[in-house]
């Protein structure tokens, strides 16, 4: 059975949830506009424009899904406090209504798109290593199947039964667990790769704009979203109404993290370019927003090539992989 948060009712939790989600959606709007502008004006100069098109498509899709989710929440609140003002609590507990299903579908799609993106980054960072990518991919495919089952279970649920009932909890908790496993494992693998790469070279500072290594890894690896998923899963399993706050937060955090990665690349504080061989990443060099390599655009680095020069490597073939 659901547990209230002290003396706080479901209607109060719902209002707090839409407040938090609105704040995050506002941040999402700013980052979406910034990232879209960057992709159109900056990344369009890169030779491989297919990457730009893919990122624009995913970014736009995430923004549309985030907008649908908050719109469904606003409509649900309007219905609960205006149309069903005499039975607000009962209406908010219903999870088989059309508007709740639209909200749930938007969240599921947003989550899966976010998982696909972090899986794509994992593929790039690890240079397509099948031993790393395939296990995580299996988890991602399983989460798609469970998402479909969860939506079907919500549709068939009784109007008087809350979202914490056991028949629903098995599906929903499984979906949260699978997407958490996908994100957590990808996060650890990406973070370890970035950390290992940075150990091979000295930390590069670009124009005075620099974050600490720990902060860079946290943001770039998607740890923020993984933490949100842990909180969401714990609250849901415990049957706490605060689940709604965590759920609505996670719906917008996915898009925020995606847009933040793009903006960070434009600001020159991303993982730059990773030079890798089939055996693994061996070093990296600075890369400007237009994809050029070397020190021509960074006078400070050019003055002291001994600090930023790459170590001699005995390899025959190398590839450049952008960590975005």
């Amino acid at each position: 059975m659901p547990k209230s948060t002290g003396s706080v009712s479901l209607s109060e939790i719902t209002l707090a949830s839409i407040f938090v989600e609105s704040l995050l959606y506002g941040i999402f709007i700013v980052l979406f506009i910034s990232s879209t502008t960057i992709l159109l004006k900056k990344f369009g100069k890169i030779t491989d424009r297919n990457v730009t098109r893919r990122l624009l498509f995913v970014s736009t899709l995430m923004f549309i899904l985030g907008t649908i989710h908050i719109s469904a929440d606003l409509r649900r609140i309007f219905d609960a406090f205006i149309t069903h003002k005499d039975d607000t609590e009962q209406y908010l507990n219903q999870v088989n209504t059309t508007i709740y299903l639209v909200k749930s579908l938007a969240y599921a799609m947003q989550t899966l798109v976010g998982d696909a993106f972090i899986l794509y980054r994992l593929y790039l960072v690890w240079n397509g290593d099948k031993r790393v990518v395939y296990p995580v991919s299996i988890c991602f495919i399983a989460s798609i199947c469970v998402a479909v089952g969860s939506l079907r279970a919500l549709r068939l649920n009784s109007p008087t039964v809350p979202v914490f009932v056991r028949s629903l909890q098995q599906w929903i908790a499984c979906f949260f667990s699978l997407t958490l496993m996908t994100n957590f494992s990808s996060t650890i693998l990406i973070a370890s790769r970035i950390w290992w790469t940075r150990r091979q070279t000295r930390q590069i500072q670009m124009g005075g704009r620099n974050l600490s290594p720990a902060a860079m890894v946290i943001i770039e690896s998607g740890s923020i979203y993984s933490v949100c998923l842990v909180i969401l899963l714990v609250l849901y399993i415990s049957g706490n109404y605060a689940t709604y706050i965590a759920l609505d937060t996670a719906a917008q955090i996915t898009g925020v993290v995606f847009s933040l990665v793009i903006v960070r690349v434009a600001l020159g504080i991303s993982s730059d370019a990773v030079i890798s061989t089939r055996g693994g990443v061996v070093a990296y060099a600075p890369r400007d927003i237009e994809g050029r390599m070397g020190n021509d655009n960074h006078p400070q680095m050019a003055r002291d090539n001994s600090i930023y020069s790459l170590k001699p490597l005995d390899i025959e073939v190398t590839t450049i992989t952008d960590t975005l």
Side-chain angles (χ1 to χ4, degrees):
M1 294 299 293
K3 301 176 183 177
S4 61
T5 307
S7 59
V8 182
S9 64
L10 177 57
S11 58
E12 292 172 317
I13 287 289
T14 303
L15 291 175
S17 176
I18 194 63
F19 173 73
V20 174
E21 185 178 9
S22 298
L23 290 178
L24 290 171
Y25 182 68
I27 296 174
F28 190 9
I29 291 175
V30 174
L31 289 174
F32 172 72
I33 294 175
S34 300
S35 61
T36 301
T37 302
I38 290 167
L39 287 173
L40 291 176
K41 293 185 177 181
K42 302 291 186 179
F43 285 6
K45 301 177 182 180
I46 298 178
T47 304
D48 187 4
R49 299 194 177 186
N50 290 329
V51 175
T52 304
R53 295 191 187 97
R54 287 195 294 266
L55 291 175
L56 275 173
F57 173 77
V58 175
S59 179
T60 303
L61 178 60
M62 280 188 161
F63 183 74
I64 292 174
L65 291 172
T67 302
I68 292 175
H69 190 277
I70 193 172
S71 298
D73 274 336
L74 288 170
R75 178 54 190 268
R76 189 164 175 265
I77 289 176
F78 178 85
D79 290 343
F81 289 92
I82 304 298
T83 307
H84 299 272
K85 59 182 178 180
D86 295 330
D87 58 342
T88 299
E89 294 285 326
Q90 181 180 350
Y91 177 80
L92 290 175
N93 260 318
Q94 295 179 10
V95 295
N96 67 337
T97 59
T98 301
I99 197 65
Y100 193 89
L101 291 173
V102 170
K103 165 186 173 176
S104 300
L105 177 61
Y107 170 76
M109 291 184 64
Q110 184 82 301
T111 300
L112 293 174
V113 171
D115 289 352
F117 172 64
I118 196 171
L119 189 60
Y120 170 69
R121 294 194 70 218
L122 177 68
Y123 175 85
L124 292 180
V125 170
W126 280 89
N127 199 30
D129 192 333
K130 297 179 181 179
R131 297 168 300 177
V132 175
V133 177
Y134 278 13
V136 183
S137 299
I138 293 173
C139 193
F140 171 68
I141 294 173
S143 65
I144 296 177
C145 299
V146 174
V148 174
S150 299
L151 292 171
R152 182 177 180 276
L154 286 172
R155 182 67 183 88
L156 299 176
N157 192 54
S158 172
T160 60
V161 178
V163 72
F164 301 99
V165 68
R166 185 173 180 80
S167 59
L168 288 177
Q169 197 174 58
Q170 293 175 342
W171 282 103
I172 298 176
C174 183
F175 176 70
F176 289 160
S177 300
L178 285 171
T179 189
L180 174 60
M181 188 178 300
T182 301
N183 275 269
F184 182 74
S185 57
S186 298
T187 294
I188 294 299
L189 291 168
I190 292 174
S192 61
R193 193 67 157 181
I194 294 173
W195 174 81
W196 186 88
T197 303
R198 291 183 183 280
R199 283 200 60 183
Q200 310 308 305
T201 60
R202 298 187 181 183
Q203 184 177 349
I204 298 177
Q205 298 190 12
M206 303 179 66
R209 293 173 300 188
N210 183 51
L211 295 177
S212 67
M216 296 181 81
V217 169
I218 288 174
I219 296 175
E220 290 194 42
S221 62
S223 299
I224 299 174
Y225 183 58
S226 295
V227 171
C228 288
L229 286 175
V230 171
I231 296 173
L232 174 59
L233 182 60
V234 171
L235 288 174
Y236 180 69
I237 292 178
S238 63
N240 196 309
Y241 278 139
T243 298
Y244 288 104
I245 298 178
L247 181 65
D248 294 339
T249 297
Q252 303 301 331
I253 283 291
T254 309
V256 169
V257 171
F258 178 85
S259 299
L260 188 59
V261 171
I262 298 176
V263 172
R264 292 187 68 253
V265 171
L267 294 177
I269 50 178
S270 183
S271 295
D272 306 314
V274 179
I275 301 179
S276 59
T277 64
R278 189 164 186 81
V281 179
V282 292
Y284 67 88
R287 186 175 194 165
D288 67 13
I289 194 62
E290 296 181 7
R292 293 188 295 267
M293 304 294 295
N295 296 331
D296 294 339
N297 297 307
H298 304 285
Q300 180 181 352
M301 292 160 55
R303 286 195 297 268
D304 192 358
N305 289 326
S306 62
I307 296 180
Y308 302 104
S309 59
L310 300 179
K311 297 179 180 180
L313 298 173
D314 185 17
I315 54 178
E316 297 180 358
V317 179
T318 62
T319 59
I320 306 284
T321 303
D322 191 343
T323 57
L324 179 64

